[in-house]
Amino acid sequence: MWQNNPPGSLYDYIRVASFSLGPDGRIEQWSERAAELFGITARQAVGKDPLEVLAPAGAHGRGRRPTAPFLAEGGLDGREWTGLIPYQRGGGHDTPDGGSATVGGEPSGLAEIYVMPTQNERGQRAALCVAVDVRALRGIETDIAASEAVFGQSPLGFFFFGTDLTLLRVNESFAQAFGRPADWHRGRTPHDFLPRGEAERLTAALRQVLDTGKPVSDIQLVGPVPGHAERRRWSVSLYRLHSGSGRPIGVAALATDVTGRRRAEREAAGVRRNLALLNEAGARIGNSLDLETTARELLDVAVPQFCDLASVDLYQGLLAGDEAPPGLADGSAELRRVAYASAVSGAPVAGGEKPVQVGEVHRYAFHSPCAAALRTAQVQVVPRREGEDGPELGAVVQSTLAVPMVARDTVVGLAQFSRTKGSEPFGERDTALAVELAARAAVCIDNARLYRREHERAVILQRSLLPPGDPEAAGLEIACRYLPANAATEVGGDWFDVIELPGHRTALVVGDVMGRGLRAAVAMGELRTAVRTLAMLDLEPAEVLSALDEIAHGLGRPGGKQSSTRGVRGGVRAADLSEVYLATCVYAVYDPVTRRCTIANAGHLPPVLVEAGRPAELLDVQPGMPLGVGGELFEETVVELPDGALLALYTDGLVESRDHALDEGLEAFREALTGPSRPLEEVCEHVLGALDTHHGEDDIALLMARLRGLPDEHVGDWTLPAEPRSVARARELAREQLPQWGLDNLVDTTELLVSELVTNALRYGEGEIRLRLLLDRTLVCEVWDGGLVQPRRRRARDTDEGGRGLQLVGMLSAAWGSRRTPHGKTVWFELALPDGEFPAPDAVEALLSLY
């Protein structure tokens, strides 16, 4: 089929020109391409000697001309000839505008001319000449040689597709990468050397590049190679080829075997993934000191990033606080499943036919891989096995890692990581990662276990040092609250106490050891115990604080010895401050008979008093120095408190924080207390709700007492002269008073004991005698006199006529004792009110038991 040759052919690059010679050797025809190549028009060339046209004599100087080896004398010699002819562009001829085309007389080009003999219509010899510019020809030869070198010697796989998407040519690198000779590929399509899916992807990409002209980079192709068991992976880039005129003539491609690089990338990605997982584990595991939460944090990290199923079992004995429960060494001890996670619904992990539920206590069989992991502290790989009794692991599980959780050389439990069918099996790197994850979680779980144990001990200590939740006292309604700075630990240095004193009096105590934590709690316990001991001695409030100051000053020193810094202002030198246990304390004693409250303060915030119809006010008491300074004197303040008044004692954590100053907190506290009378528990809740009690900076102790006093009808108070008949009068007064209170069952016992105390007051005391009977939750009898000698109980011998009075008092009373008064002493005893469960003591039996 005849068709036009499209532009951009080889002839356009090498610029072939032609002309013909007649029988006389002169130019007979001159083509337009020759005119373009030599710069000479047909009018200038036709009819002339070719040498005169191409290289005139004037262009070479001194009239010299080159010979014409392709011309015979007077005509053509009939032979073909090929040679090089230098030519001067324009031939030195005059141009149409009268100028000359010769430049400097030097040739401007070199032409290769091919002379072919011909004959004209008359049979005469002629010639057809074809001329090519040698520079253009050599440039094409150089380009072809360079292209061949790049194509043939490149380590990259080059291959060319034609417009029909068949291979035109491939280089040796491509042939080696795809495992077949280069000649085999010519005329092939992608379906001949790639799997169907990959071939269709490559064909679509070739068609896209051929149609749009946009290159496509890094197409990943996978396929088998003859002689290799491993499937190979190639990266292919495509771009469209064009002719000189821009016409698409095919698609060129570069192919690189990236199998090794891909493998290295996968390994690097695995390493990065594992490092990221470990980093996430470090950030997420151990944020809580709760065992179950820590176990769940481990599984949150592992599932599904590392495995599809996971569980954590911990030794039940360790959870209960045992250091080494039976069976711990051989892995047969009981375990409790504390956490389980799954990315696959309804899939068990391991451990038999019946899956272990969270919270269930179980054991692993001695010869099972899990027991072996616990016994040896080495990870066990458990492949999926199916026997006659059914699958050992779930039907969806293909393998499991049983990883012992080891912390401080002790196995605390077992973590299991499982992967289901379709997931990549566990490798060595996965096993190492599982061990690392389990080890990190084990340390956190062991820390949580130790913390839980110590926390439980600290809480037991703390709660044992605080009074019961609903303390009771005569003539008082009590409400109290204790809020630790850290709700998680519940251990602090604040304390409060309600101590019942003889005579139905009550000591209200609030203290604050500086610092927090177990150290402060222990110091608080020592001081609280000392307060209760000193209170039972019935010392005055200022004397109690002075004794406490001595005790606190000796805390933290070997044997509780006092520092040699006594006498230095403040009690200690600056160098000894680290050894000092400082505490503040307010000690108040309320007498429900006199309605008086005696208060002594050791550097504590003053109590707040609220009277009906009046705003709350801070009591004006001497602040004093904190306990532990040593050598300080404390003063007492006596306040008359009407019935219905409210007295509030508290620690600084209630009114002071970083968000506001102390004065602002005290003012807010007073405002919260001021208002209509409400039940005391409601007042407590209102105060805690109105103030900032959740700042977590310091402990908070709040003790409130609504003062009721003893009604006058519950008090019997008489003065007796210091004479023998007063003994009978005392018995008579007791016998008359108790029936009025409905205590007929206590008349005999009370009469007997009152007689003993008044007799002792007459025998060993001084001045007039005062008898007082007080009725509240118990019956209290007090005998006052002016003597300073305290009674002492002793055991009388069988032959002694006396010395059995105080023994009798001790046997018949619930409690008895004596205390100093400003003008003498008071001896007292207390009787429990009789009821159906506890009848009154039998005075006759007690008397007979003395002999």
Side-chain angles (χ1 to χ4, degrees), residues 164-187:
D164 59 352
L165 303 186
T166 59
L167 279 171
L168 300 178
R169 189 176 181 186
V170 302
N171 66 352
E172 285 299 324
S173 297
F174 177 89
Q176 293 176 4
F178 282 84
R180 289 184 176 89
D183 294 340
W184 180 90
H185 291 86
R186 292 179 181 174

Side-chain angles (χ1 to χ4, degrees), residues 64-273:
R64 291 181 296 148
R65 293 181 56 191
T67 59
F70 58 90
L71 297 176
E73 288 291 337
L76 302 178
D77 59 2
R79 293 178 300 169
E80 291 185 358
W81 182 85
T82 302
L84 300 177
I85 299 295
Y87 67 90
Q88 182 69 39
R89 184 170 174 79
H93 298 278
D94 295 337
T95 60
D97 59 0
S100 176
T102 303
V103 180
E106 295 297 329
S108 61
L110 186 65
E112 183 175 288
I113 297 181
Y114 179 36
V115 179
M116 296 173 289
T118 61
Q119 291 183 355
N120 59 16
E121 68 276 7
R122 293 189 294 274
Q124 296 176 321
R125 288 196 176 274
L128 177 62
C129 301
V130 177
V132 180
D133 187 356
V134 172
R135 288 180 300 178
L137 188 61
R138 296 295 181 267
I140 292 175
E141 291 175 350
T142 301
D143 292 343
I144 292 175
S147 299
E148 286 292 333
V150 172
F151 185 84
Q153 300 174 19
S154 172
L156 302 177
F158 275 102
F159 57 107
F160 302 138
F161 281 93
T163 55
D164 59 352
L165 303 186
T166 59
L167 279 171
L168 300 178
R169 189 176 181 186
V170 302
N171 66 352
E172 285 299 324
S173 297
F174 177 89
Q176 293 176 4
F178 282 84
R180 289 184 176 89
D183 294 340
W184 180 90
H185 291 86
R186 292 179 181 174
R188 305 282 183 174
T189 66
H191 289 81
D192 294 322
F193 56 90
L194 288 175
R196 179 177 177 180
E198 303 295 273
E200 291 177 352
R201 290 180 55 231
L202 180 58
T203 301
L206 288 169
R207 186 171 291 108
Q208 175 186 344
V209 172
L210 194 60
D211 294 341
T212 64
K214 294 181 179 179
V216 175
S217 300
D218 197 23
I219 302 174
Q220 297 289 319
L221 300 177
V222 179
V225 172
H228 291 80
E230 181 185 11
R231 291 170 63 86
R232 312 296 293 179
R233 179 181 291 270
W234 301 279
S235 173
V236 178
S237 298
L238 308 174
Y239 58 95
R240 192 168 68 179
L241 290 176
H242 302 87
S243 66
S245 62
R247 176 176 59 88
I249 60 175
V251 177
L254 291 173
T256 306
D257 190 334
V258 294
T259 305
R261 186 180 70 187
R262 180 64 176 177
R263 187 186 307 113
E265 289 175 352
R266 285 200 306 269
E267 293 179 356
V271 172
R272 289 194 299 270
R273 183 174 61 252

Side-chain angles (χ1 to χ4, degrees), residues 600-617:
N601 191 9
H604 203 81
L605 294 173
V608 176
L609 176 64
V610 185
E611 298 184 32
R614 299 180 59 182
E617 61 175 340

Side-chain angles (χ1 to χ4, degrees), residues 458-459 461-467 482 490-497 510-515 517-532 548 551 555 581-584 699 701:
V459 169
L461 171 65
Q462 176 82 5
R463 291 175 179 173
S464 68
L465 297 176
L466 293 175
Y482 175 77
E490 301 183 12
V491 177
D494 289 13
W495 90 92
F496 64 91
D497 209 344
V510 169
D512 183 3
V513 176
M514 296 183 184
L518 190 59
R519 179 177 180 270
V522 171
M524 176 269 285
E526 295 189 47
L527 292 179
R528 178 177 179 271
T529 302
V531 169
R532 296 190 70 88
L548 275 181
I551 293 172
L555 290 179
Y581 284 73
L582 296 179
T584 62
D699 307 325

Side-chain angles (χ1 to χ4, degrees), residues 759-777:
T759 300
N760 286 342
L762 286 172
R763 182 177 298 178
Y764 304 108
E766 299 177 5
E768 61 181 6
I769 300 170
R770 181 182 178 187
L771 172 64
R772 192 165 73 167
L773 296 178
L774 307 175
L775 174 63
D776 193 72
R777 293 178 296 115

Side-chain angles (χ1 to χ4, degrees), residues 499-639:
I499 307 171
E500 294 188 78
L501 301 177
H504 284 317
R505 295 171 303 136
T506 303
L508 304 176
V509 189
V510 169
D512 183 3
V513 176
M514 296 183 184
R516 64 180 62 179
L518 190 59
R519 179 177 180 270
V522 171
M524 176 269 285
E526 295 189 47
L527 292 179
R528 178 177 179 271
T529 302
V531 169
R532 296 190 70 88
T533 303
L534 294 170
M536 296 312 297
L537 296 177
D538 213 352
L539 301 176
E540 295 297 325
E543 294 176 328
V544 171
L545 292 187
S546 295
L548 275 181
D549 181 41
E550 295 293 328
I551 293 172
H553 192 64
L555 290 179
R557 296 178 174 85
K561 295 181 180 179
Q562 304 302 315
S563 172
S564 60
T565 56
R566 177 65 58 83
V568 180
R569 179 171 177 80
V572 291
R573 293 191 180 98
D576 298 326
L577 286 177
S578 60
E579 301 178 356
V580 173
Y581 284 73
L582 296 179
T584 62
C585 180
V586 60
Y587 185 92
V589 175
Y590 173 68
D591 188 337
V593 178
T594 62
R595 272 71 169 177
R596 291 179 180 175
C597 185
T598 305
I599 304 172
N601 191 9
H604 203 81
L605 294 173
V608 176
L609 176 64
V610 185
E611 298 184 32
R614 299 180 59 182
E617 61 175 340
L618 296 174
L619 290 180
D620 186 12
V621 297
Q622 292 295 328
M625 295 296 290
L627 302 177
V629 172
E632 293 296 325
L633 298 178
F634 299 95
E635 299 184 16
E636 296 177 352
T637 302
V638 180
V639 183

Side-chain angles (χ1 to χ4, degrees), residues 787-793 817-821 824-827:
L788 299 179
V789 178
Q790 298 292 321
R792 181 174 61 88
R793 182 179 176 180
S818 66
R819 68 178 185 274
R820 291 178 300 168
T821 63
K825 67 176 182 297
T826 300
V827 182

Side-chain angles (χ1 to χ4, degrees), residues 350-374:
E353 298 180 3
K354 182 181 178 182
V356 180
Q357 303 300 321
V358 174
E360 182 178 345
V361 178
H362 64 99
R363 282 188 174 94
Y364 288 111
F366 184 81
H367 296 291
S368 66
C370 294
L374 292 169

